[in-house]
Amino acid sequence: MPYLLLKKSPRRWWLYTSIATVPFLALVMLIQPILIAPLFDDFGPMKDKALEAEILKLADRAGIDGGRVFEVNKSEDTEAMNAYVGGLLDTKRIVLWDTLLNKLDRQQVLTVMGHEMGHYVLGHSWKLLALLSVLIFAALYTVHRSQNFLIQRYQHHFGFSEPSDIASLPLLLILISVFSLALQPLVFSYTRQIERESDRFGLEITQANYAMASALASLQDENLVHPRPGMVFVLWRSWHPPIAERIEFINGYRPWETEQSLTYGDYFRNP
């Protein structure tokens, strides 16, 4: 598609490619939990109905109406644990892997779900999409300008003189990789921030510090996560804050004990 646009509009291909990419990403985000994930995993009703009722009660308090709870059979494939809240309107769903249900106790599961509900209620997926949209436009424009500059300067070495020449594909891929790598720390910095917000949301709605901290410790063991990775790894590879940093925050965050206002208290319905 970029090369078709390069031939049709060599000056604005980057703009049209960006405009086409953003709706595609939004569509994937919408259908992934509903149409794509069930193609690869076995989604079924939750077996523990008492825990399901508690999860739905927590969801109602978080302002999530009409959600359905699904249990995914992942224990045949992995020991890793996961849960999420996705979908919109009538497609809202709360999903828990059976590995998580098998290895965490009731209160730990509820704190994990409080965190995941925080992502949903605070609109983190849409905010991340907005950030990625801006970065896609910026990255492709920079690729466009850099590609033109390099071709004009080194065309006798490259063996082609137009960006629309298919021979320029390796150069295009290299430039996209370089600028994507350069932008990675910005994206990961934002994802670490929204993870912190969801930790705070989950704590405030459950007020179960020990359960959340111990759940994270279990996730660290089962998912083989380094508790304190180096700075370079965090900047370029880590979607989440270091587990040790998160646990330290969780253990010390207790505004309800001193009657301080909650950051996300306005989102909560009365229990």
Side-chain angles (χ1 to χ4, degrees):
M1 181 176 173
Y3 275 89
L4 176 62
L5 292 173
L6 272 166
K7 288 183 180 296
K8 296 288 186 181
S9 181
R11 296 181 61 185
R12 294 188 176 86
W13 69 269
W14 61 274
L15 178 62
Y16 300 140
T17 301
S18 301
I19 291 172
T21 301
V22 172
F24 175 76
L25 290 177
L27 178 63
V28 170
M29 283 176 52
L30 283 172
I31 68 174
Q32 192 279 333
I34 304 156
L35 298 178
I36 299 176
L39 295 175
F40 302 96
D41 295 315
D42 181 18
F43 282 64
M46 192 164 176
K47 300 180 181 69
D48 188 338
K49 297 303 179 183
L51 181 55
E52 179 183 30
E54 290 190 76
I55 291 171
L56 288 173
K57 182 179 179 181
L58 187 68
D60 180 71
R61 184 157 186 252
I64 302 173
D65 296 317
R68 299 172 59 197
V69 182
F70 291 87
E71 184 174 328
V72 181
N73 181 16
K74 291 291 287 187
S75 53
E76 296 180 353
D77 304 322
T78 182
E79 293 294 316
M81 297 183 282
N82 193 25
Y84 59 88
V85 181
L88 288 173
L89 303 175
D90 293 339
T91 67
K92 286 197 294 289
R93 53 182 54 199
I94 299 165
V95 178
L96 302 94
W97 289 7
D98 63 341
T99 49
L100 182 135
L101 294 168
N102 293 338
K103 295 172 183 176
L104 300 184
D105 64 30
R106 179 191 65 83
Q107 192 61 54
Q108 288 174 325
V109 170
L110 290 176
T111 60
V112 171
M113 295 316 305
H115 171 96
E116 297 302 328
M117 290 171 191
H119 282 309
Y120 187 87
V121 172
L122 300 175
H124 286 160
S125 293
W126 300 109
K127 292 175 182 177
L128 181 58
L129 176 63
L131 174 63
L132 290 176
S133 299
V134 172
L135 294 181
I136 287 170
F137 276 87
L140 287 182
Y141 175 71
T142 307
V143 166
H144 165 66
R145 295 296 300 269
S146 301
Q147 186 182 38
N148 286 340
F149 170 79
L150 291 171
I151 289 173
Q152 289 175 10
R153 189 175 181 89
Y154 299 108
Q155 57 182 283
H156 55 287
H157 293 298
F158 291 154
F160 53 86
S161 59
E162 296 293 335
S164 59
D165 190 326
I166 192 64
S168 71
L169 179 60
L171 175 62
L172 179 65
L173 293 178
I174 289 171
L175 290 173
I176 290 174
S177 298
V178 167
F179 289 115
S180 296
L181 182 64
L183 291 172
Q184 239 172 242
L186 179 60
V187 175
F188 287 161
S189 175
Y190 181 70
T191 63
R192 289 194 297 273
Q193 177 58 33
I194 63 179
E195 290 298 330
R196 293 185 185 98
E197 291 177 2
S198 287
D199 280 346
R200 190 185 302 270
F201 186 99
L203 270 178
E204 292 186 349
I205 200 169
T206 63
Q207 299 184 10
N209 300 71
Y210 176 77
M212 181 177 277
S214 59
L216 279 179
S218 296
L219 285 166
Q220 171 197 326
D221 291 339
E222 295 297 338
N223 295 353
L224 303 177
V225 177
H226 194 294
R228 295 186 187 275
M231 182 179 67
V232 173
F233 181 90
V234 171
L235 286 174
W236 265 277
R237 297 289 298 169
S238 184
W239 288 83
H240 294 73
I243 287 279
E245 177 186 311
R246 295 174 69 187
I247 289 176
E248 288 168 1
F249 167 76
I250 289 165
N251 285 333
Y253 186 72
R254 303 169 185 267
W256 51 87
E257 293 184 356
T258 55
E259 299 184 354
Q260 299 178 47
S261 61
L262 302 180
T263 302
Y264 301 114
D266 291 342
Y267 288 91
F268 304 152
R269 294 170 178 167
N270 292 328

